[in-house]
């Protein structure tokens, strides 16, 4: 039997996503089914503060209540991931390598050689970075920009993005499907991972700045 998401929530004993991001995502899924979930994930890719750990399990919960099928949920959320990623890829491609170097040269505490090494690393490991980066919170969105700057072949980028996104989406959608009215538990656990990733990134950035400042002090006569 095909239910609306609001009816499914009334029949369940779990939390009702009446407001905030969960309520917004629930409204899209209820109004447009699979395409609504895809649109939400496309926006999540472009704007990383929108958490996939809420949108995807909620979509899985909707599938468990018959609002849409699992196949539809996975197809549309993966398509949304690819569309959002291609938008950011386009931003990187338009920004371009020359503008990136010009902008980089204006930054304090960095050298042009740092950017050249980063480009060389991406040339060697870019495919793995794009594929595996889709399964890392926050970076799953950001990795599209350097791929665009470096002009990774678009068919390769789309294939890697679709594969990595399908894995990530399947895990979270199925978690929401199996947990049913306790779908929000997924967000709590993935949220911890997201915060840990951000903390590690901040620590790494702080360590880089400290090392760069010390290096410049040594270079002074």
């Amino acid at each position: 039997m095909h239910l609306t998401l609001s009816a499914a929530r009334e029949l369940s004993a779990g939390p009702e996503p009446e407001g905030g991001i969960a309520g917004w995502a629930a409204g899209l899924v209820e109004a447009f089914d699979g395409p609504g979930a895809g649109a939400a994930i496309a926006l999540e890719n472009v704007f990383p503060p929108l958490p996939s750990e809420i949108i995807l399990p909620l979509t899985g919960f909707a599938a468990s209540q018959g609002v849409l099928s699992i196949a539809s949920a996975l197809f549309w959320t993966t398509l949304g991931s690819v569309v959002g990623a291609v938008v950011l890829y386009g931003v990187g491609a338009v920004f371009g390598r020359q503008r990136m170097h010009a902008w980089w040269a204006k930054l304090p505490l960095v050298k042009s050689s740092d950017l050249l090494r980063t480009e060389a690393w991406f040339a060697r490991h870019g495919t793995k970075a794009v594929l595996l980066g889709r399964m890392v919170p926050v970076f799953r969105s950001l990795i599209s920009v350097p791929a665009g700057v470096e002009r990774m072949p678009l068919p390769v980028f789309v294939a890697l993005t679709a594969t990595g996104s399908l894995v990530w989406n399947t895990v979270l959608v199925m978690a929401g499907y199996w947990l049913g009215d306790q779908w929000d538990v997924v967000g709590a656990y993935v949220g911890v991972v997201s915060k840990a990733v951000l903390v590690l990134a901040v620590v790494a950035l702080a360590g880089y700045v400290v090392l760069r400042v010390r290096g410049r002090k040594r270079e002074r006569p």
Side-chain angles (χ1 to χ4, degrees), residues 112-132:
S112 59
S113 59
D114 295 329
L115 184 55
L116 291 173
R117 281 195 294 268
T118 301
E119 291 174 343
W121 180 89
F122 195 88
R124 292 193 303 270
H125 307 290
T127 53
K128 289 182 286 187
V130 171
L131 176 64
L132 300 178

Side-chain angles (χ1 to χ4, degrees), residues 4 61 66 79 90 92 127-128 154 164 172 174 182 194 202 209 214-215:
T4 64
F61 167 64
L79 179 61
T127 53
K128 289 182 286 187
L154 188 57
L172 295 190
M174 293 308 299
Q182 294 183 350
S194 301
V202 170
V209 170
R214 288 178 178 178

Side-chain angles (χ1 to χ4, degrees), residues 173-200:
V173 167
M174 293 308 299
Y177 182 87
W178 288 322
L179 286 170
D181 55 23
Q182 294 183 350
W183 59 269
D184 60 319
V185 173
V186 182
Y189 284 103
V190 179
V192 171
V193 176
S194 301
K195 290 181 176 64
V197 170
L198 287 175
V199 168
L200 289 174

Side-chain angles (χ1 to χ4, degrees), residues 24 39-52 55 81 140-141:
W24 166 77
I41 288 299
L43 291 172
E44 178 268 333
N45 271 263
V46 176
F47 304 105
L50 292 176
S52 62
I55 299 170
S81 298
R140 63 192 304 268
S141 296

Side-chain angles (χ1 to χ4, degrees), residues 7-216:
R9 293 199 304 266
E10 289 175 2
L11 292 174
S12 71
E16 296 187 4
E18 296 176 346
I21 293 172
W24 166 77
L28 281 178
V29 174
E30 185 169 6
F32 303 106
D33 291 348
I41 288 299
L43 291 172
E44 178 268 333
N45 271 263
V46 176
F47 304 105
L50 292 176
S52 62
E53 61 265 26
I54 290 178
I55 299 170
L56 291 171
L58 177 60
T59 303
F61 167 64
S64 74
Q65 301 300 313
V67 176
L68 73 169
S69 68
I70 282 291
S72 177
L74 294 178
F75 171 79
W76 286 106
T77 55
T78 300
L79 179 61
S81 298
V82 172
V83 170
V86 168
V87 169
L88 290 182
Y89 175 96
V91 170
V94 169
F95 192 75
R97 191 169 182 270
Q98 290 184 342
R99 289 181 182 176
M100 176 65 74
H101 276 271
W103 173 76
W104 189 266
K106 297 177 182 178
L107 294 178
L109 306 177
V110 298
K111 297 179 179 179
S112 59
S113 59
D114 295 329
L115 184 55
L116 291 173
R117 281 195 294 268
T118 301
E119 291 174 343
W121 180 89
F122 195 88
R124 292 193 303 270
H125 307 290
T127 53
K128 289 182 286 187
V130 171
L131 176 64
L132 300 178
R134 296 295 161 200
M135 306 172 213
V136 180
V138 180
F139 293 106
R140 63 192 304 268
S141 296
L142 301 181
I143 193 62
S144 301
V145 177
V149 170
E150 295 302 317
R151 298 297 178 95
M152 173 182 282
L154 188 57
V156 174
F157 175 79
V158 168
L160 293 170
T161 298
T163 302
S165 297
L166 179 60
V167 173
W168 174 261
N169 295 351
T170 299
V171 170
L172 295 190
V173 167
M174 293 308 299
Y177 182 87
W178 288 322
L179 286 170
D181 55 23
Q182 294 183 350
W183 59 269
D184 60 319
V185 173
V186 182
Y189 284 103
V190 179
V192 171
V193 176
S194 301
K195 290 181 176 64
V197 170
L198 287 175
V199 168
L200 289 174
V202 170
V203 170
L205 179 60
Y208 172 82
V209 170
V210 169
L211 291 174
R212 180 62 69 198
V213 169
R214 288 178 178 178
R216 290 203 168 188

